[in-house]
């Protein structure tokens, strides 16, 4: 219902795959041209992007929950306002991304329904709990930091609406990341108790954050075609390494220890991390993370509790339309 | 170690700023409870936005209250280290969110008043109050529009939304009278041209409210008893729970910088 504005003149034949069109499409991608909603595209390209953009949108929305958990308990009015504004930004990102996904022909309602039904994924990281205020700093610093690593290359993604959405999202994420780091800095310069709180948060979030970049390259399913289509420009492991290299000096500046005793710096300056526990990652993806059930329950509750409000808005809009039509006829 | 409440020298001027600050903070806090749980993403955005405006207003009024008090207090001490009996907000704003109708009716009653109030306060002889009012009025005008549109949609939407909206009005109406009450200290400030006389706004407030309620096909309740007490710290049971959450970090970790 939100996608009516799109040109559907080609609707009948735009899914027809033919070699010439596919070659032309790939040539445009290779020439770094942006693909726009009404352009012909292979069905698999549409499907991949719909999945990726909607997962990204779901992540923004589910991601409101762990941080939202601290809005009512933020330790100062300044922190309360900043956190509320940040979570509101995430909601805005979600809306923006659903709109980008809709340009590919699937409505926001369908996408949200798929998420609520457990058929669509969101980022594994939001299935971990925020237990202390330091978690809010750590999420800003590391989770948003990792998201930026992932999303900066997406600003050059071949699909125009997604690339443009990412430019704006990255600007805000970068602000969030600095805000998170500033919370950590305040904690680390504070009392012994505060610094311990910061270290504890880093200990709990470090490995789940590294998992955010996805499975190792050797086992990644989607990378080949995504790379060919210039949706993805760096591999999971490349981005993960970039993130680790950027983050280690930041942790050192804070005086915090990365919870990886086996970590070493190689001759090229790269920080080599230990083996990631992929079994944990699989469990979280399978729905068995510490908060999967809570997150889904919270989103479903908001959706179900809000049904009567959405129905009222629709009923009122219909009544109004009817009255206006009747008035015009008089 | 228990954390002592701060003591506030409640001169009429300090108290005046404090009451405005408490209204804004408590209502902003209530709205922020919706964040991530609203009926649609657009309302997550809108309610958070309004909450942010209100928390911003609260910070300005607290900072001003601390300044005119001229002691060691600041915005955070005033917000985080006063107990329920020291809070001076309207009973209306501390009422729980309830369902979406209750939240929006509460907002509607308050914003319809605040919008008039800030507009009048723009002419206060106190330059700081006038400046805070000028900024707040722009915000409350939008809050009022947002809430009014929802009251009409809910009242004139479905049978269920109508019943819920009417129940919210019936429940919250008794808390609206307190908005128009003033004590002797505030009366002096009104005479001095510093504070605003809310009585002078009552007619227009009632006009706005009855216009929207009428368009929404809703009605006023029969019972016109008005509950009061918030301005002197006699609150409902709800406020203590709100404060225990809002203040938890400052109470658990006294005296730290965050």
């Amino acid at each position: 219902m939100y996608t009516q504005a799109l040109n559907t003149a080609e609707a009948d034949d735009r899914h027809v795959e033919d070699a010439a069109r596919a070659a032309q499409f790939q040539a445009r991608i290779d020439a770094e041209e942006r693909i726009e909603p009404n352009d012909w595209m292979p069905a698999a390209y549409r499907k991949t992007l719909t999945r990726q953009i909607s997962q990204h949108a779901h992540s923004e929305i589910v991601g409101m929950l762990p941080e939202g958990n601290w809005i009512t308990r933020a330790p100062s009015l300044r922190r309360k306002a900043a956190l509320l504004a940040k979570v509101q930004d995430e909601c805005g990102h979600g809306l923006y991304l659903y709109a980008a996904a809709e340009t590919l022909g699937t409505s926001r309602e369908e996408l949200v329904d798929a998420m609520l039904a457990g058929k669509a994924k969101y980022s594994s990281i939001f299935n971990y709990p925020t237990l202390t205020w330091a978690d809010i700093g750590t999420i800003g610093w590391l989770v948003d930091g990792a998201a930026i690593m992932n999303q900066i290359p997406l600003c050059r993604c071949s699909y125009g609406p997604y690339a443009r959405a990412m430019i704006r999202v990255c600007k805000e994420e970068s602000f969030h990341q600095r805000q998170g780091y500033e919370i950590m800095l305040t904690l680390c310069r504070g009392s012994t108790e505060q610094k311990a709180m910061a270290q504890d948060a880093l200990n709990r979030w470090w490995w789940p954050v590294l998992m955010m970049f996805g499975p190792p390259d050797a086992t990644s399913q989607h990378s080949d075609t995504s790379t060919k289509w210039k949706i993805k420009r760096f591999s999971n492991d490349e981005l993960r390494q970039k993130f680790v290299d950027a983050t280690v000096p930041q942790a050192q500046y804070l005086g915090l220890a990365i919870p990886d005793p086996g970590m070493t710096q190689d001759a090229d300056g790269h920080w080599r991390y230990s083996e990631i526990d992929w079994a944990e990652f699989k469990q979280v993806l399978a729905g068995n993370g510490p908060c999967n059930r809570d997150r889904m329950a919270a989103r479903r509750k908001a959706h179900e509790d809000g049904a009567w409000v959405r129905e009222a808005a629709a009923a009122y809009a219909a009544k109004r339309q009817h009255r206006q039509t009747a008035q015009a006829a008089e | 170690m228990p954390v002592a409440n701060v003591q506030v020298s409640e001169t009429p001027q300090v108290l005046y700023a404090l009451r405005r600050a408490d209204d804004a903070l408590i209502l902003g806090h209530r709205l922020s409870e919706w964040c991530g749980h609203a009926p649609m993403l657009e309302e997550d955005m809108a309610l958070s936005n309004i909450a942010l405006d209100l928390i911003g207003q609260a910070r300005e009024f607290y900072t001003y209250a601390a300044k005119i008090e001229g002691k060691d207090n600041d915005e955070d001490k005033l917000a985080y280290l006063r107990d329920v009996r020291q809070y001076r907000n309207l009973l209306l704003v501390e009422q729980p969110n309830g369902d979406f109708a209750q939240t929006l009716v509460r907002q509607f009653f308050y914003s319809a008043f605040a919008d008039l109030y800030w507009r009048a306060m723009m002419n206060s002889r106190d330059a700081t109050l006038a400046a805070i009012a000028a900024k707040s009025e722009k915000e409350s005008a939008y809050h009022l529009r947002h809430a009014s549109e929802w009251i009409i949609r809910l009242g004139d939407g479905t049978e269920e939304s109508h019943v819920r909206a009417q129940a919210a009005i019936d429940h919250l109406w008794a808390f609206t009278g307190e908005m128009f009450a003033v004590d002797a200290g505030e009366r002096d400030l009104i005479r001095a041209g510093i504070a605003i006389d809310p009585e002078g706004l009552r007619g227009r407030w009632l006009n706005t409210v009855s216009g929207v309620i009428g368009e929404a096909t809703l009605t006023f309740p029969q019972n016109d008893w008005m509950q009061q007490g918030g301005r002197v710290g006699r609150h409902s049971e709800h406020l203590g729970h709100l404060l225990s959450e809002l203040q938890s970090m400052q109470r658990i970790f006294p005296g730290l910088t965050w």
Side-chain angles (χ1 to χ4, degrees), chain B residues 115-128:
Chain B
D115 192 45
L116 294 167
Y117 198 83
W118 302 139
R119 213 178 304 159
M121 197 193 265
M122 285 161 68
N123 298 316
S124 168
R125 281 196 194 153
D126 181 311
T128 306

Side-chain angles (χ1 to χ4, degrees), chain A residues 133-144 180 183-184 198 201-202 205:
Chain A
W133 174 251
D135 291 31
I136 298 306
T138 308
I139 287 182
W141 171 35
L142 297 182
V143 175
D144 292 323
I183 291 178
M184 296 307 278
L202 176 58
W205 289 92

